[in-house]
Amino acid sequence: MSTAITNISSLVTNDPSLGEGPLGLIQDAAVVIDGDRVAWVGESSKAPATDNAVDAEGRAGIPGFVDSHSHLVFAGDRTAEFNARMSGRSYSAGGIRTTVAATRAATDAELEANLTRYLGEALRQGTTTLETKSGYGLTTHDEARALRIAAQHTDEVTYLGAHVVAPEFADDPEGYVALVTGEMLEACAPHARWVDVFCERGAFDGDQARAVLEAGRRHGLLPRVHANQLGHGPGVQLAVEVGAASADHCTHLTDADVDALAHGDTVATLLPGAEFSTRAQWPNARRLLDAGATVALSTDCNPGSSFTSSMPFCIALAVRDMGMTPDEAVWSATAGGAAALRRTDLGRVSPGARADLALLDAPSHVHLAYRPGVPLVSAVWQRGVRKV
């Protein structure tokens, strides 16, 4: 069955060959969906005949958001930690262990219910692709079950056994790295596409991170890195060196880090929800963009440091506090996220792309930053099926 969505006031295609500027903007646009793919894009008056028709009634259209960094397989609540932090306590990586205890105690059904709840929440806000990680089990059994549950709901699953050192290995971090790169990896690799590591003080140093990424690669997993969130460190340079798809956070960067990102294939994924929730220094998106780096925006949705599933909220933060223009922020939340996942079928509305798109209750995509906090997403198609 084919469907034409017509009378779109302004359509972001992210394909410059189809329209104006880097966003490939088309005014008074239409999109034809055939099956799970975009079949045609152009001016509304030129739309071909289809089986079904939807009148967008002057709403703006955008590609579905591609959220390339989240942590959704967890249990428990960290309200008390957030409250204390907002009252003056600083954030550190160690808070993850609170969620680890709750996640280990949860049933599979409880973990899956939590995951599907937040996936649904994200979908209603326009997110049609969402990567999620393990990392709150830190035992072979709990990491493998987290990935198995996640893989039932998304193609973009990341093994993050190297989130922090498990409490049982507090006095033997090298022993934990051996577990993460050995028995745990063997159990987890069949359920994941990616391997990630938190290369940060309080988590894993550069040598440990390299060992984790190289072991993952030997098992067919592609690398990505939590890098330079809490301070300067080796994470970004390591990510570029090993050809990671993305270096995520990128808050504290040297000129050499920026240069490496600008001249490599690694996407700088910025996670402003984390800075908002921890009152930390904002990443400097302007510096990265001006240097020529590819930038993605993501939510980092997790129960400790960024408990938001809202890509529109992250767009507004990026425009207000990180030096991005509204156009740049929307591109980074769609095509940028697709680049961070090395997907060419996502993040664009053009022929051959997966039919993932959203309509906004606004005449322009700029309203995502112009009207922060307002639920503008009025309709969502995912794989060609209307979900909202």
Side-chain angles (χ1 to χ4, degrees):
M1 299 289 287
S2 59
T3 299
I5 308 170
T6 61
N7 195 20
I8 301 171
S9 61
S10 175
L11 175 67
V12 173
T13 68
N14 284 338
D15 185 339
S17 71
L18 294 176
E20 178 186 351
L23 296 186
L25 283 171
I26 303 175
Q27 307 300 323
D28 190 19
V31 177
V32 172
I33 297 171
D34 193 353
D36 67 349
R37 298 284 153 174
V38 175
W40 181 91
V41 178
E43 295 178 11
S44 205
S45 62
K46 299 177 182 178
T50 56
D51 300 310
N52 302 302
V54 174
D55 186 349
E57 298 179 336
R59 293 177 173 86
I62 60 171
F65 296 123
V66 181
D67 189 345
S68 61
H69 183 128
S70 78
H71 306 251
L72 297 184
V73 186
F74 70 88
D77 182 88
R78 284 161 69 180
T79 302
E81 177 189 324
F82 176 79
N83 192 33
R85 191 163 63 241
M86 293 300 101
S87 302
R89 194 177 81 191
S90 62
Y91 173 73
S92 67
I96 292 166
R97 295 181 180 91
T98 304
T99 302
V100 169
T103 302
R104 289 178 177 181
T107 66
D108 287 10
E110 288 169 336
L111 294 177
E112 185 169 24
N114 227 21
L115 170 65
T116 56
R117 172 188 174 188
Y118 296 119
L119 287 173
E121 187 178 275
L123 181 65
R124 291 191 296 273
Q125 297 174 91
T127 297
T128 51
T129 301
L130 196 146
E131 179 270 2
T132 200
K133 310 174 192 294
S134 65
Y136 289 129
L138 308 187
T139 67
T140 298
H141 166 74
D142 287 304
E143 288 294 292
R145 72 171 179 143
L147 294 170
R148 186 180 66 252
I149 290 167
Q152 295 171 8
H153 298 278
T154 179
D155 297 333
E156 301 298 339
V157 180
T158 301
Y159 168 50
L160 184 59
H163 202 178
V164 293
V165 174
E168 297 84 356
F169 289 83
D171 297 324
D172 184 18
E174 292 303 327
Y176 185 66
V177 172
L179 176 65
V180 168
T181 58
E183 172 191 303
M184 188 186 288
L185 175 59
E186 293 281 350
C188 290
H191 307 294
R193 182 182 181 211
W194 304 96
V195 60
D196 198 347
V197 58
F198 193 6
C199 185
E200 193 65 70
R201 67 175 186 263
F204 299 90
D205 64 25
D207 291 340
Q208 293 168 331
R210 182 187 301 277
V212 169
L213 297 175
E214 290 179 348
R217 177 172 275 159
R218 289 194 296 272
H219 283 73
L221 302 182
L222 303 173
R224 49 200 324 111
V225 182
H226 280 62
N228 300 53
Q229 176 187 6
L230 304 179
H232 295 288
V236 164
Q237 296 287 340
L238 175 63
V240 175
E241 182 182 335
V242 303
S246 66
D248 297 21
H249 288 289
C250 294
T251 308
H252 300 273
L253 301 179
T254 65
D255 288 345
D257 293 333
V258 173
D259 186 67
L261 290 165
H263 291 92
D265 295 326
T266 300
V267 175
T269 299
L270 307 184
L271 311 170
E275 280 70 38
F276 177 87
S277 182
T278 61
R279 286 181 174 161
Q281 171 185 319
W282 297 102
N284 189 339
R286 184 79 269 137
R287 182 184 180 197
L288 286 161
L289 290 165
D290 288 348
T294 300
V295 173
L297 286 176
S298 185
T299 64
D300 191 20
C301 187
N302 75 83
S305 61
S306 182
F307 205 6
T308 180
S309 58
S310 175
M311 290 289 275
F313 174 64
C314 292
I315 287 171
L317 291 179
V319 172
R320 168 62 177 80
D321 292 303
M322 290 161 48
M324 300 186 88
T325 68
D327 284 10
E328 289 167 340
V330 170
W331 188 95
S332 293
T334 51
L341 294 174
R342 293 192 170 163
R343 296 284 296 268
T344 58
D345 59 331
L346 306 175
R348 60 187 176 92
V349 182
S350 58
R354 205 171 78 180
D356 294 349
L357 64 150
L359 297 180
L360 306 178
D361 195 12
S364 166
H365 64 280
V366 177
H367 280 237
L368 290 164
Y370 181 41
R371 303 198 68 205
V374 177
L376 294 177
V377 174
S378 61
V380 180
W381 282 261
Q382 184 181 48
R383 299 177 185 266
V385 177
R386 185 167 181 174
K387 296 296 185 73
V388 175

